[in-house]
Amino acid sequence: MTTPCIICVAITGSLPTKADNPAVPTSVAEQIESTHEAFEAGATIMHAHVRNDDETPSSDPEKFALLKEGVEKHCAGMIVQLSTGGRSGAGQTRGGMLPLRPDMASLSVGSNNFPTRVYENPPDLVAWLASEMKTYDIKPEIEAFDLSHIFRAAAMYEAGEIAATPYVQFVMGVKNAMPVDREVFDFYIHTVKRLFGEDTPWCAAGIGPNQIVLNEWAISSGGHARTGLEDNIRLDRNTLAPSNAALVKRAVELCDKYERPVATWQQAREMLGLREVA
């Protein structure tokens, strides 16, 4: 298998704090430094949330702007993907950073249960976020927490609400949502290829101890991988991950195991059909 593997690093998220793991980067300066280390380790996409000074989630476009500027300066060519996730704000505030024109942004196209709440993605908000992404030439990464989300992305693509072939990420292991199940995973792959084409790139993310499981499934199956402290703060049950870069290095080792080169940022941009770096 010679298709290069794109590694996405989800650096912070909305939930982990320094009390959980001191390595979680919560200030913009820490996030830029952590991203640079992960970039040097092999990550070519940075998936980003931002935080307030007290570590609570934020959707402040100014913080996103500073983070984007820093990553573009210190990690030239790296793909910047900003989160429109619902823990950081409500309604259209979730897309307040889209005028910054990041390369990519996450897009959850349907609702589902989370451990203690409903992750609400009502159709009107999804349509607005997709429209904003189209306006600002941002490629959405479809976060598929359920099979129906893949079909919804296909319907949006057919209707022209998504400009280019969606990049679908399977998210497995969230409590009360889709568990880690190999038969479901394989059917997800089959469904993406059937709906979007045999050579359509896709990605997978596993939560907590399932991160390494999904990394291996994705890399060995020809997909792309997401890792990082947002989804998992440990190397194993007894060992906290010392950095985002350490988790990226685990994914790189799996690429070596399955004889897949790690994608450069140039290759990643070409495979995902992203605009050239100015």
Side-chain angles (χ1 to χ4, degrees), residues 212 232-243 246-247 250:
I212 192 67
N232 167 46
I233 60 170
R234 297 181 178 276
L235 290 175
D236 56 47
R237 182 184 294 271
N238 300 312
T239 310
L240 291 174
S243 63
L247 295 172
R250 291 202 310 180

Side-chain angles (χ1 to χ4, degrees), residues 50 58-67 93 95-100:
V50 291
S58 172
S59 56
D60 184 352
E62 292 186 8
K63 290 181 180 291
F64 275 116
L66 289 172
L67 177 57
T93 60
M97 81 297 290
L98 295 177
L100 297 172

Side-chain angles (χ1 to χ4, degrees), residues 120-132:
E120 294 187 29
N121 293 290
D124 58 342
L125 177 60
V126 172
W128 180 81
L129 288 169
S131 175
E132 289 289 283

Side-chain angles (χ1 to χ4, degrees), residues 17 25 28 53 64 71 97 104 133 142 156 175 183 188 210 215 224 269-270:
T17 66
V28 170
D53 292 342
F64 275 116
V71 170
M97 81 297 290
M104 300 181 72
M133 292 181 197
I142 306 299
M156 294 176 71
K175 184 180 179 182
E183 289 190 20
Y188 276 180
N210 293 305
N215 284 171
H224 306 289
R269 285 182 174 273
E270 182 179 359

Side-chain angles (χ1 to χ4, degrees), residues 167-202:
Y167 184 51
V168 178
Q169 176 176 264
F170 316 145
V171 184
M172 308 183 86
V174 176
K175 184 180 179 182
N176 299 325
M178 182 56 67
V180 175
D181 184 289
R182 185 61 197 242
E183 289 190 20
V184 171
F185 176 82
D186 290 339
F187 189 71
Y188 276 180
I189 299 172
H190 171 76
T191 302
V192 165
K193 291 182 176 182
R194 178 167 64 88
L195 295 177
F196 302 117
E198 187 69 25
D199 296 326
T200 300
W202 54 271

Side-chain angles (χ1 to χ4, degrees), residues 22-265:
V24 175
T26 56
S27 72
V28 170
E30 289 173 340
Q31 289 177 315
I32 294 168
E33 181 178 2
S34 186
T35 299
H36 183 251
E37 292 173 353
F39 182 55
E40 291 191 325
T44 49
I45 300 176
M46 176 209 55
H47 174 80
H49 297 244
V50 291
R51 302 284 187 92
N52 297 309
D53 292 342
D54 63 359
E55 298 189 53
T56 56
S58 172
S59 56
D60 184 352
E62 292 186 8
K63 290 181 180 291
F64 275 116
L66 289 172
L67 177 57
K68 178 176 179 286
E69 179 183 5
V71 170
E72 290 174 343
K73 178 180 179 180
H74 296 285
C75 310
M78 191 177 198
I79 296 165
V80 174
Q81 181 189 107
L82 304 184
S83 173
T84 65
R87 293 188 189 275
S88 302
Q92 293 187 2
T93 60
R94 289 169 51 177
M97 81 297 290
L98 295 177
L100 297 172
R101 297 185 77 241
D103 301 296
M104 300 181 72
S106 61
L107 180 63
S108 297
V109 297
S111 301
N112 61 279
N113 286 339
F114 269 6
T116 60
R117 60 187 280 263
V118 176
Y119 182 25
E120 294 187 29
N121 293 290
D124 58 342
L125 177 60
V126 172
W128 180 81
L129 288 169
S131 175
E132 289 289 283
M133 292 181 197
K134 192 173 179 180
T135 295
Y136 294 109
D137 189 24
I138 301 165
K139 186 179 184 71
E141 179 185 77
I142 306 299
E143 294 186 326
F145 293 90
D146 182 82
L147 178 63
S148 65
H149 298 170
I150 301 175
F151 281 90
R152 180 62 194 141
M156 294 176 71
Y157 174 57
E158 289 295 323
E161 296 176 76
I162 295 173
T165 304
Y167 184 51
V168 178
Q169 176 176 264
F170 316 145
V171 184
M172 308 183 86
V174 176
K175 184 180 179 182
N176 299 325
M178 182 56 67
V180 175
D181 184 289
R182 185 61 197 242
E183 289 190 20
V184 171
F185 176 82
D186 290 339
F187 189 71
Y188 276 180
I189 299 172
H190 171 76
T191 302
V192 165
K193 291 182 176 182
R194 178 167 64 88
L195 295 177
F196 302 117
E198 187 69 25
D199 296 326
T200 300
W202 54 271
C203 180
I207 307 303
N210 293 305
Q211 182 175 85
I212 192 67
V213 176
L214 267 293
N215 284 171
E216 184 152 19
W217 287 1
I219 291 167
S220 64
S221 301
H224 306 289
R226 165 165 147 162
T227 190
L229 291 167
E230 171 176 351
D231 301 336
N232 167 46
I233 60 170
R234 297 181 178 276
L235 290 175
D236 56 47
R237 182 184 294 271
N238 300 312
T239 310
L240 291 174
S243 63
N244 276 300
L247 295 172
V248 171
K249 289 173 184 176
R250 291 202 310 180
V252 170
E253 290 170 359
L254 287 171
C255 289
D256 292 340
K257 176 180 176 179
Y258 290 101
E259 300 182 345
R260 289 191 62 189
V262 176
T264 63
W265 64 261

